[in-house]
Amino acid sequence: MNFDLSEDEEMLKALAERFVTDHYDHDSRRAFLAEPTGFSAANWALLGELGLIAAPFPEDMGGLDLDATGIATVFEALGRGLVVEPLAEAAVLAGRIFAAAAPQELRDAWADALVSGEKRLALAHAEARGRGGLPWIETRAVQSGDGWTLRGAKPYCAAGAGADGYIVSARLEGEPGDAAGVALFLVTADAPGLTAREWHMADGSVAVTLQLDGVAVPANCRLEGDGFAHVASAQVMATLARCAEALGIMERMFADTIDYLRTRTQFGAPLGSFQAIQHRMVAQYAVIEQSRALLNLALVSWQSDDFANAVHGVRAFIAPACVELGHEMIQFHGGMGVTDELAVGGGHKRLLVLSRWPEDPLAALDRYAGVLH
């Protein structure tokens, strides 16, 4: 099996790595997280100029329609740089849902601004009583004249701060746990009746809680097709992106710890010379290699019936493994490891979020086992 990257994939990897090199260090990352949206608006505009925002979008919207290998390549590089801009949530998840389901009039109105980064969408789907990957939508959409009226709450809208619009799932009929009867709507951030309360996730990113009190949505802002199906399909690629990002973060934390163990001395010898520490580092190196092997298995399954299942398998392994690796790397750094003074602390916080969002890793394991669909 040939795992060499194509010319286009090498170019995208180089773009992502150059972006990290030119714009990221530990202090600048902390400054980006402190901004109101939890990331740098200037960096987001630059990602648009570089074409990295457009890349996951289909070609008819001006994107590159990246395949699985392209997505994984870009996000692993961004993970190594501990990049905070929400490409996975905005472009791979919300963007691809919009591209797949938006009616043509709405597509034409938003396409150019989305692929350039001028505008940004966020998915508002998860609800408070949703558990274990099972469908649960209480938010309701009622037909009103030529449009729709939405009522409900979306407490977990990741990367929602400063978004220009939200893709909101709402139930047209049935009970909250029914798999059918759910549609998606594009709700602009300035829609009357929509309120957004910002809050920080564990990694410092800014999510929002949306309250929809009689929000009027025009008929052409209802997305086409089955809401759950569109979200599930886009989540597969977003999950792949998150897993690749987690792998990049694991590699970065491991490399930083290797450097630390080679230079930090105790009892007159480098910490890395102690056999017990070497054994623990070798165990985590094996975890990284296992993660990469599972990611590669998913990549070679692209466009096959096994692809989604392979992605669920990657997440089921990486989600708990990356947190355990973070714990080990922090322990080797001692008390400094949990502070914001070192990249290892910030990396671990990001891994905590990736391991639990948008669902518990046990749900991915259930999907891999065929218990959930």
Side-chain angles (χ1 to χ4, degrees), residues 140-160:
R140 291 277 174 176
V142 177
Q143 197 155 15
S144 177
D146 292 334
W148 301 83
T149 299
L150 273 56
R151 296 185 185 277
K154 298 292 183 178
Y156 315 116
C157 181

Side-chain angles (χ1 to χ4, degrees), residues 44-343:
W44 187 254
L46 179 58
L47 288 170
E49 293 176 14
L50 294 174
L52 290 175
I53 294 176
F57 285 87
E59 292 180 1
D60 63 357
M61 282 185 65
L64 298 179
D65 200 14
L66 283 189
D67 62 7
T69 301
I71 292 286
T73 299
V74 168
F75 279 87
E76 186 179 345
L78 295 177
R80 282 195 295 269
L82 299 178
V83 170
V84 299
E85 282 69 40
L87 273 176
E89 302 301 328
V92 181
L93 182 56
R96 289 173 75 97
I97 291 174
F98 178 87
Q104 192 61 48
E105 180 183 354
L106 191 62
R107 229 169 176 256
D108 293 342
W110 282 75
D112 290 345
L114 289 178
V115 298
S116 68
E118 180 184 345
K119 290 185 177 180
R120 178 169 55 88
L121 295 176
L123 176 64
H125 177 61
E127 297 199 2
R129 296 186 183 180
R131 293 290 186 275
L134 296 172
W136 190 272
I137 300 295
E138 295 183 41
T139 300
R140 291 277 174 176
V142 177
Q143 197 155 15
S144 177
D146 292 334
W148 301 83
T149 299
L150 273 56
R151 296 185 185 277
K154 298 292 183 178
Y156 315 116
C157 181
D164 299 281
Y166 303 95
I167 296 178
V168 178
S169 57
R171 185 164 294 285
L172 306 179
E173 58 185 11
E175 297 302 313
D178 292 346
V182 171
L184 301 175
F185 299 85
L186 177 62
V187 178
T188 58
D190 59 357
L194 177 69
T195 56
R197 179 177 60 83
E198 298 176 356
W199 55 278
H200 289 266
M201 300 180 77
D203 60 354
S205 60
V206 185
V208 298
T209 292
L210 297 182
Q211 187 68 40
L212 300 105
D213 295 317
V215 175
V217 180
N220 68 343
C221 286
R222 176 185 168 180
L223 306 192
E224 298 169 348
D226 181 275
F228 272 127
H230 283 307
V231 171
S233 176
Q235 281 286 15
V236 172
M237 290 299 283
T239 296
L240 180 73
R242 297 184 192 109
C243 287
E245 181 187 352
L247 177 58
I249 295 172
M250 293 162 72
E251 293 170 335
R252 166 68 179 276
M253 293 176 70
F254 188 87
D256 286 0
T257 304
I258 284 283
D259 289 342
Y260 177 78
L261 294 176
R262 286 171 175 167
T263 56
R264 180 75 165 87
T265 60
Q266 191 71 34
F267 306 113
L271 286 175
S273 67
F274 299 141
Q275 192 175 56
I277 290 179
Q278 292 174 359
H279 288 174
R280 290 167 67 182
M281 288 295 287
V282 167
Q284 294 307 315
Y285 177 80
V287 167
I288 292 174
E289 291 304 302
Q290 286 176 286
S291 301
R292 180 172 298 284
L294 287 169
L295 183 63
N296 285 337
L297 177 62
L299 299 184
V300 299
S301 303
W302 171 243
Q303 291 187 324
S304 77
D305 293 339
D306 294 330
F307 175 66
N309 200 46
V311 172
H312 298 319
V314 178
R315 173 165 166 74
F317 180 83
I318 284 185
C322 72
V323 174
E324 179 60 31
L325 180 140
H327 290 163
E328 286 285 84
M329 301 305 108
I330 285 173
Q331 284 198 7
F332 290 136
H333 282 84
M336 288 290 290
V338 297
T339 70
D340 287 336
E341 298 301 316
L342 297 177

